[in-house]
Amino acid sequence: GQNIDQPTEMTATEGAIVQINCTYQTSGFNGLFWYQQHAGEAPTFLSYNVLDGLEEKGRFSSFLSRSKGYSYLLLKELQMKDSASYLCAVRGPSGYNKLIFGAGTRLAVHP
Amino acid sequence: AAGVIQSPRHLIKEKRETATLKCYPIPRHDTVYWYQQGPGQDPQFLISFYEKMQSDKGSIPDRFSAQQFSDYHSELNMSSLELGDSALYFCASSLGRQGIEQYFGPGTRLTVT
């Protein structure tokens, strides 16, 4: 079976740091992705991890531990525009790149 | 830079009607994916094509069919529409079967009444 878990909602303050966790159990693993999605809009790519460790990209960082089936997305220096849903997705076990998405974490950034 | 184009952006249909959604991938991208996202739900993979051949199949109903044409654009054909088909339909494209990043189009919002 395939299961991807992440918190439903989080709130944070402008300028702060927030960590969004994702745990996954899939029958195969070929990379983990984080996408940002504003309501009614298309998901936009944030990061990709296939090896253990931390990938840093500006204000966003993503971490992966394959042995623990765990990833997190770290957002620094939060801005109001970061209020969005953050989707954790695992590349499908059968190859060909299909993404299996988690339910998403709705982040609200307050002044 | 050119992005994924989807048309129409909005579509309203009645139950039992048919609908055709179109997707134009980023130039030179040869792989197209279709996802369905219901209200408050995560995107669910429907089907994908690589080099005009179906490459993977997800939770696509038998009432739906899709294909990729020689210019790499793709169409999702939906028949006998049901109320539950109301959703955002995203198309994404990537370069090659192992292309890491899938670029999503703006989506087609389908409303079935």
Side-chain angles (χ1 to χ4, degrees), chain A residues 6-85:
Chain A
Q6 44 181 136
T8 306
E9 291 184 351
M10 297 182 72
T11 59
T13 305
E14 196 175 13
I17 299 173
V18 71
Q19 178 175 312
I20 303 174
N21 296 323
C22 171
T23 58
Y24 64 90
Q25 289 177 304
T26 57
S27 52
F29 180 82
N30 197 18
L32 187 139
F33 298 76
W34 284 95
Y35 279 81
Q36 180 192 61
Q37 186 178 29
H38 288 96
E41 297 183 10
T44 54
F45 173 82
L46 290 178
S47 69
Y48 166 72
N49 295 72
V50 66
L51 300 176
D52 290 352
L54 188 69
E55 293 284 339
E56 297 187 79
K57 202 175 179 182
R59 294 190 299 116
F60 299 149
S61 304
S62 57
F63 172 83
L64 174 68
S65 168
R66 288 172 296 170
S67 62
K68 295 180 180 176
Y70 167 70
S71 173
Y72 68 72
L73 178 69
L74 195 71
L75 293 80
K76 304 174 189 173
E77 302 168 17
L78 281 172
Q79 302 175 9
M80 299 297 289
K81 68 178 182 179
D82 297 329
S83 294
S85 285

Side-chain angles (χ1 to χ4, degrees), chain A residues 33 37 42 94 97 99 101-102, chain B residues 35 37 42 56 97 100 102 105:
Chain A
F33 298 76
Q37 186 178 29
S94 62
N97 290 343
L99 294 175
F101 283 89
Chain B
Y35 293 86
Q37 187 174 28
D42 53 292
D56 207 349
R97 259 172 24 191
I100 289 174
Q102 292 184 22

Side-chain angles (χ1 to χ4, degrees), chain A residues 37-44 87 101, chain B residues 4-6 9 21-23 32-38 41-47 76 87-93 102-110:
Chain A
Q37 186 178 29
H38 288 96
E41 297 183 10
T44 54
L87 305 170
F101 283 89
Chain B
V4 177
I5 297 172
Q6 290 187 246
R9 294 294 309 278
L21 279 54
K22 297 185 179 182
C23 169
V32 168
Y33 314 81
W34 286 97
Y35 293 86
Q36 177 193 57
Q37 187 174 28
Q41 305 293 315
D42 53 292
Q44 294 289 319
F45 172 75
L46 294 178
I47 196 167
L76 178 65
L88 261 174
Y89 290 83
F90 289 109
C91 170
S93 75
Q102 292 184 22
Y103 294 83
F104 282 76
T108 294
R109 183 174 294 281
L110 172 66

Side-chain angles (χ1 to χ4, degrees), chain B:
Chain B
V4 177
I5 297 172
Q6 290 187 246
S7 68
R9 294 294 309 278
H10 301 273
L11 190 59
I12 299 175
K13 291 284 186 179
E14 295 186 357
K15 283 194 305 183
R16 293 180 288 278
E17 284 192 318
T18 62
T20 297
L21 279 54
K22 297 185 179 182
C23 169
Y24 297 86
I26 291 172
R28 296 196 309 278
H29 280 195
D30 50 14
T31 308
V32 168
Y33 314 81
W34 286 97
Y35 293 86
Q36 177 193 57
Q37 187 174 28
Q41 305 293 315
D42 53 292
Q44 294 289 319
F45 172 75
L46 294 178
I47 196 167
S48 63
F49 293 88
Y50 167 69
E51 282 292 342
K52 293 153 279 185
M53 299 285 289
Q54 180 182 309
S55 56
D56 207 349
K57 195 171 181 181
S59 52
I60 184 169
D62 292 339
R63 299 177 288 110
F64 295 5
S65 65
Q67 57 182 328
Q68 185 179 32
F69 294 85
S70 57
D71 63 351
Y72 296 107
H73 94 273
S74 177
E75 295 184 4
L76 178 65
N77 299 295
M78 311 159 75
S79 62
S80 303
L81 286 169
E82 301 173 357
L83 295 178
D85 296 329
S86 295
L88 261 174
Y89 290 83
F90 289 109
C91 170
S93 75
S94 69
L95 181 60
R97 259 172 24 191
Q98 296 300 318
I100 289 174
E101 187 171 344
Q102 292 184 22
Y103 294 83
F104 282 76
T108 294
R109 183 174 294 281
L110 172 66
T111 303
V112 181
T113 61

